Amino acid sequence: QVQLVESGGGLVQPGGSLRLSCTASGGTFSRYTLGWFRQAPGKEREFVGAVRGSGGNTYHYADSVKGRFTISRDNAKNTVTLQMNRLNPEDTALYYCAAGQGIILSQIRAETGYRYWGQGTQVTVSS
């Protein structure tokens, strides 16, 4: 069983930055593919980005955040972070951290492969 706890959300002005963290407990962290998803009010949850585990460590991003958001993982600290730069109001959402094993590359953007989810942290971009 893996527990995920996100932190770092808050209110930021357009053009600003935030850094989200997700700390895991339980399981073998390095084996997991770690993903970030978000859900805006009235919308379905969507993929933001992910980093594969088990030594793969390849990074994948949604087109809407590519070049602005960066994922990093620290297996020694059981932590994955999401650095978000040049935020705009469309980035306002509840951000979730997720973990899963055995996720094939073609499914890395799908929620179904991620077995464990955090509670989410709110990000609001507004002036």
Side-chain angles (χ1 to χ4, degrees):
Q1 188 76 9
V2 176
Q3 291 80 41
L4 302 172
V5 179
E6 304 98 334
S7 61
L11 173 64
V12 63
Q13 291 188 341
S17 298
L18 275 178
R19 185 180 180 88
L20 305 183
S21 293
C22 174
T23 300
S25 59
T28 304
F29 185 78
S30 62
R31 295 179 181 175
Y32 285 90
T33 291
L34 304 167
W36 287 96
F37 292 77
R38 67 186 182 185
Q39 187 168 21
K43 295 185 178 181
E44 293 187 352
R45 190 156 55 187
E46 65 176 2
F47 172 79
V48 174
V51 52
R52 300 189 78 186
S54 297
N57 284 349
T58 56
Y59 297 84
H60 309 269
Y61 298 95
D63 288 343
S64 59
V65 306
K66 199 173 293 183
R68 299 188 299 124
F69 291 11
T70 303
I71 294 173
S72 59
R73 69 185 296 164
D74 186 334
N75 290 335
K77 296 182 179 180
N78 285 7
T79 299
V80 59
T81 60
L82 179 66
Q83 177 67 44
M84 305 185 294
N85 298 327
R86 304 200 314 270
L87 285 160
N88 58 63
E90 290 70 38
D91 296 316
T92 295
L94 188 61
Y95 282 72
Y96 296 91
C97 172
Q101 281 188 283
I103 301 175
I104 60 176
L105 185 57
S106 62
Q107 294 298 309
I108 202 168
R109 298 167 185 263
E111 294 185 33
T112 52
Y114 296 86
R115 181 175 181 181
Y116 304 104
W117 291 81
Q119 294 300 307
T121 185
Q122 179 67 38
V123 172
T124 302
V125 185
S126 176
S127 55

